Amino acid sequence: MVRGKFGYPIKPYTSTTDAIATFPTTATAVGLCPRNASLDLCAPFGLSDLLGGIVRPNKRQIRREIYEQKVIRWVKVWPNLSVVGWLEGG
């Protein structure tokens, strides 16, 4: 396990998809990978939160403090976001 920037151990990722599935919110857990002149979409939680402006915690790897810090920063930039609280989501 790697301690990394989170300050607590995390398991090594087994793939890009595995890593994306640990992103701190469901809306940010999205990636594109070039494949044979096209793009493969990786969105383990779907795209509805991203397209709907919903911030929902993905508790697989982050702690509440990290999520809440991100929410505070993001609502200053995008005040119309719909925020799902730590205890409500995920």
Side-chain angles (χ1 to χ4, degrees):
M1 291 199 183
V2 177
R3 188 163 288 276
K5 73 177 189 173
F6 296 111
Y8 50 87
I10 60 171
K11 293 180 183 178
Y13 304 123
T14 58
S15 66
T16 302
T17 301
D18 182 41
I20 290 171
T22 69
F23 284 14
T25 68
T26 55
T28 61
V30 176
L32 290 172
C33 182
R35 295 229 198 264
N36 302 322
S38 66
L39 296 172
D40 281 349
L41 173 66
C42 176
F45 304 103
L47 297 173
S48 60
D49 284 355
L50 174 64
L51 298 175
I54 300 168
V55 180
R56 183 184 323 272
N58 173 16
K59 298 177 184 178
R60 179 170 164 197
Q61 183 167 283
I62 65 163
R63 293 184 176 157
R64 182 178 184 167
E65 298 79 30
I66 294 169
Y67 175 71
E68 290 175 348
Q69 288 170 0
K70 290 184 179 298
V71 167
I72 289 167
R73 191 173 70 241
W74 291 348
V75 295
K76 288 179 184 174
V77 177
W78 301 289
N80 294 326
L81 290 175
S82 296
V83 176
V84 177
W86 181 263
L87 297 176
E88 302 168 61

